[in-house]
Amino acid sequence: MAFLSRLFGGGDPPDGRADLPGRRAPMTGLSGRVVVVLALAAGPVSGCGTDPGPVCGAVVDSTGYADPVTAGNDVESELPGFAKGCDWIGFAAVTGSSESSACREDPMPIAATRTENPGDDPVVEDRVRARRITQVLPRAAGLLDCPKEGRGSDVLGALRYAVRQLSALRQPDREHRLIVFSDLLNDHGDLDVGELDLSEAARGRKIQELRDARLLPDLSGYAVVVHGFVRAKKSDPDRFPLLESFWRAAFEAAGTSSVDLL
C-alpha cells in the first residue's frame, strides 16, 4: 500500500519525504512491519509564554490494520487536530517486531524552543507551530507502509517503545497523551487475542501475566485514544464486546487516566 502517494497525489510528499529531518528510509528485505521512534529533538520544548503543553505520542499500525484505505483516512483526519494541542510528539510503528524495527521516525518538537523564540513572542510561537504541524502527518503516515518485519502484530511492543520515547520528557506538570491507529489485534509473543480465552476470569489472569512479565507499558497518567478498534467488531462480532472489555482492563492496569476505543 502506498498511502503517501494517495495522500499527496503521487510522487514524493511535499518537501520530499527523504529530506525530512531524522527520516530513516525503510530497509528492504526485512520480514515484518512496525515502527517506533525516539530521540530528543534539538533544544528543549519551551511552550513559550504559556504553561507547558502536553507531551504526545502517535502509534501507527503497519500490519493488518493498514490494509484498508480507511486506515490512511483515520491518520489523515485525526492526527493533525490531535497534534495541534501538543508541545512535542514522538512516533512508534506496530510491526511484527515493534521494539527493534528498522522502520522509524524521529520525534519532534511542535512548540517553539527557547532558541527559536527567546522573547516568548506569541506570533513567532504560532508561526513555528503552524510549520511543524505540516510535518507531523507525513511522518506518521509513512509508518503505514513499513516493510514486513517478523510475524504477527506486536501492538504491546509499539506501546512500550512509544512510552520510552515520551519518558525522556515526562514532568509532573505536563499532560501526556497517546493516539493509537490500530485494531489492537495483537498476535505476537505472549498475547494472541485471536486465541485468547475472553471469559472474565481468564482476562484477568492474562492481564496479570502480562503485568508480571513487564509486558504492559507504563501508561500512568496517559490519556489514550484508539482509532480503528471498531473494525474488530466487524471481523468477529461475537467476541468484540469481550475483546473491548479485555483492552479496557489492560489499559486500566497499565495506569491510563482515560481510554477511548473508537
Side-chain angles (χ1 to χ4, degrees):
M1 163 178 141
F3 170 68
L4 286 174
S5 294
R6 296 197 304 272
L7 177 60
F8 297 106
D12 291 333
D15 301 324
R17 269 196 63 75
D19 296 331
L20 284 174
R23 171 64 181 171
R24 299 184 184 180
M27 297 174 62
T28 57
L30 295 175
S31 60
R33 353 134 120 156
V34 169
V35 171
V36 191
V37 183
L38 247 295
L40 288 175
V45 173
S46 68
C48 294
T50 63
D51 294 332
V55 172
C56 301
V59 176
V60 181
D61 194 333
S62 71
T63 62
Y65 160 85
D67 292 339
V69 67
T70 48
N73 294 340
D74 284 349
V75 177
E76 182 180 359
S77 63
E78 301 295 338
L79 184 59
F82 171 83
K84 197 172 287 186
C86 302
D87 275 3
W88 185 93
I89 190 166
F91 304 91
V94 177
T95 66
S97 183
S98 299
E99 291 182 278
S100 60
S101 176
C103 181
R104 58 187 61 203
E105 292 287 350
D106 287 343
M108 58 179 286
I110 295 176
T113 64
R114 291 295 180 194
T115 301
E116 292 168 321
N117 191 11
D120 288 355
D121 185 332
V123 175
V124 174
E125 175 71 15
D126 289 346
R127 185 183 304 132
V128 171
R129 281 182 172 274
R131 183 180 73 248
R132 293 245 172 85
I133 289 296
T134 66
Q135 300 172 18
V136 172
L137 179 58
R139 291 191 184 204
L143 299 182
L144 288 168
D145 292 325
C146 288
K148 186 172 181 177
E149 298 176 332
R151 299 176 62 182
S153 179
D154 183 15
V155 177
L156 286 180
L159 292 172
R160 292 193 300 268
Y161 187 91
V163 166
R164 288 206 304 274
Q165 282 191 57
L166 273 63
S167 292
L169 289 184
R170 290 202 73 169
Q171 298 174 24
D173 57 349
R174 284 188 182 272
E175 289 183 61
H176 292 78
R177 301 176 183 172
L178 195 63
I179 190 168
V180 182
F181 297 97
S182 175
D183 51 21
L184 300 187
L185 295 181
N186 195 111
D187 58 355
H188 175 89
D190 291 340
L191 178 62
D192 184 345
V193 297
E195 302 297 328
L196 189 62
D197 181 348
L198 290 175
S199 63
E200 185 174 358
R203 294 197 307 265
R205 285 195 300 271
K206 173 52 71 174
I207 290 170
Q208 189 60 50
E209 288 173 13
L210 294 172
R211 199 174 190 175
D212 291 345
R214 299 180 181 275
L215 295 176
L216 286 182
D218 180 6
L219 292 169
S220 300
Y222 278 78
V224 178
V225 59
V226 179
H227 292 276
F229 179 68
V230 72
R231 288 178 205 156
K233 183 175 184 178
K234 298 174 184 176
S235 62
D236 204 343
D238 293 336
R239 284 172 60 85
F240 179 80
L242 300 177
L243 187 59
E244 180 176 8
S245 296
F246 168 79
W247 277 111
R248 287 191 181 281
F251 278 115
E252 181 179 348
T256 56
S257 59
S258 66
V259 59
D260 290 320
L261 303 177
L262 307 175

